[in-house]
Amino acid sequence: MFKALVVNKDDDSGKTSAAVQELSLADLPDGEVTVAVEYSTVNYKDGLCIGPGGGLVRKYPHVPGIDFAGTVEASSDDRYKPGDRVVLTGWRVGEAHWGGYSQKANVKADWLVPLPEGLDTRAAMAVGTAGFTAMLAVMALEDHGMAKNHGPVLVTGAAGGVGSVATAILANLGYEVAAVTGRPETADYLTALGATRIVAREELNETVKRPLESENWAGCVDAVGGAMLARVLGQMKYGASVAAVGLAGGAALPATVIPFLLRGVNLLGIDSVMQPYDNRVRAWKRVASDLPMDKLEAMVHPATLADLPQLGADILNGQVKGRVVVDVNA
Ligand SMILES: NC(=O)c1ccc[n+]([C@@H]2O[C@H](COP(=O)([O-])OP(=O)(O)OC[C@H]3O[C@@H](n4cnc5c(N)ncnc54)[C@H](OP(=O)(O)O)[C@@H]3O)[C@@H](O)[C@H]2O)c1
């Protein structure tokens, strides 16, 4: 027997409820690799899947948790053997498939990535999907020519999971980082991660009539989308790129094409869920080498399976700072 957070849906009221339950291995869905899960984390999608479902969960009862790290217990696939340390993000695990809020998980071998040297299972979930996606965004910006001597790089939604890790990675790589936040009380936290400038959310969260403003930013990791992304596009330097990661501020993009046509600005889409294997391996190796572990530790809030219903509601309300690390065995 082992413990998992199980979400049930009442057929009559349509309401969902989440609670820690005892399950047996026979309850798990089929999979090629059985992982003894050690750590998971809390993402926006997890908030939806712990709570109302958000159209992501296919059937109940459901075990959420869109990412986890742990040790292989059994494998019918030659690529993995007992004792291997692995990480899983994406592939709709925790949404369409049972996820990481469980002491055991059965998954496809294709979904796993071996943990690189220098990253243990706890650190991997301090990074989590949010940090992995931040790394993908930084890699995409670099691949499109972002360089340290081009000027400051903007990070929006900076005190959130993606933004915190992006800030720490960029600062560690030597970039000048301007961090946009709607929570002024996080300024010290963001400065400690390496931001050299704090930009108030109000300065950027409304569109302006002019499609082009001063050329301020040599790159941008955008976790917010919406009006803020539209505004930032008009402030990018000539030829610079924005990596669009999230929609914390909205999915609509009330922009013009002028920054693309007159300044050669690039808008790069970042998807972590279906990311090809080779780039996943590259990103996790870069995380191990480019994210300072002391900065990562400063972002961590420890939690247990029992804390998840409250944390799920908190992240939907924009109340989670940095990275929550869930010790599923605590
Ligand atoms: N593309 C992918 O594969 C991928 C992967 C992971 C996450 N995501 C998406 O990326 C986004 C960020 O994820 P996360 O894990 O970092 O979430 P998070 O921890 O909740 O952080 C989001 C941050 O955005 C800011 N924010 C929230 N509401 C806002 C609003 N109305 N206007 C402007 N800023 C607002 C807040 O930062 P401040 O408090 O600093 O203002 C908040 O902390 C989410 O939309 C998530 O779904 C996408």
Side-chain angles (χ1 to χ4, degrees):
M1 300 297 283
F2 60 90
K3 285 184 185 152
L5 185 83
V6 180
V7 183
N8 280 291
K9 188 172 194 174
D10 184 280
D11 285 340
D12 295 331
S13 67
K15 284 199 171 153
T16 56
S17 58
V20 178
Q21 287 182 15
E22 295 256 328
L23 299 177
S24 72
L25 282 176
D27 294 319
L28 286 179
D30 290 341
E32 295 150 349
V33 186
T34 304
V35 179
V37 179
E38 290 160 26
Y39 296 97
S40 186
T41 178
V42 181
N43 302 275
Y44 192 85
K45 273 187 186 172
D46 292 317
L48 293 173
C49 295
I50 294 168
L56 301 174
V57 179
R58 283 196 190 146
K59 61 178 184 178
Y60 295 91
H62 177 67
V63 175
I66 69 162
D67 44 17
F68 65 77
T71 304
V72 171
E73 230 171 50
S75 174
S76 62
D77 186 286
D78 290 346
R79 287 170 288 176
Y80 293 99
K81 59 179 188 321
D84 288 348
R85 294 170 323 124
V86 289
V87 59
L88 186 151
T89 65
W91 304 113
R92 301 210 60 208
V93 169
E95 309 168 34
H97 313 281
W98 279 19
Y101 293 161
S102 173
Q103 293 170 334
K104 310 269 183 208
N106 265 354
V107 293
K108 284 192 180 173
D110 282 349
W111 296 344
L112 295 168
V113 172
L115 272 185
E117 284 300 314
L119 209 61
D120 61 22
T121 51
R122 184 175 179 278
M125 278 303 104
V127 175
T129 298
F132 170 69
T133 309
M135 191 72 248
L136 291 174
V138 172
M139 283 166 31
L141 292 172
E142 290 174 340
D143 291 347
H144 283 80
M146 182 177 73
K148 277 172 267 194
N149 58 357
H150 292 176
V153 175
L154 192 71
V155 176
T156 70
V162 173
S164 294
V165 178
T167 300
I169 290 172
L170 286 164
N172 189 52
L173 290 170
Y175 287 92
E176 193 186 325
V177 181
V180 185
T181 184
R183 292 182 276 177
E185 67 277 14
T186 63
D188 288 347
Y189 164 75
L190 292 167
T191 305
L193 294 183
T196 48
R197 192 169 145 197
I198 307 297
V199 180
R201 186 190 291 178
E202 298 73 50
E203 285 183 35
L204 290 173
N205 67 354
E206 280 176 16
T207 48
V208 287
K209 279 199 179 138
R210 280 177 301 150
L212 296 175
E213 299 181 75
S214 302
E215 294 184 40
N216 290 337
W217 317 115
C220 172
V221 176
D222 174 52
V224 171
M228 189 176 292
L229 172 55
R231 183 81 185 269
V232 166
L233 286 170
Q235 298 184 352
M236 300 305 294
K237 286 180 183 276
Y238 191 90
S241 303
V242 178
V245 171
L247 40 59
L253 183 55
T256 77
V257 295
I258 301 298
F260 309 128
L261 309 186
L262 297 190
R263 287 201 183 144
V265 169
N266 305 299
L267 183 55
L268 312 175
I270 305 297
D271 167 58
S272 64
V273 177
M274 307 304 285
Q275 192 66 214
Y277 179 78
D278 288 351
N279 214 37
R280 285 175 187 267
V281 172
R282 181 179 162 221
W284 280 109
K285 281 190 180 149
R286 285 286 308 270
V287 163
S289 63
D290 294 345
L291 178 60
M293 288 303 139
D294 58 330
K295 298 268 166 62
L296 183 64
E297 196 52 43
M299 300 176 206
V300 168
H301 302 275
T304 67
L305 287 177
D307 298 326
L308 285 166
Q310 181 60 49
L311 287 166
D314 288 347
I315 200 157
L316 294 183
N317 290 323
Q319 290 306 315
V320 168
K321 183 179 87 176
R323 305 284 308 123
V324 175
V325 175
V326 182
D327 180 348
V328 301
N329 298 300

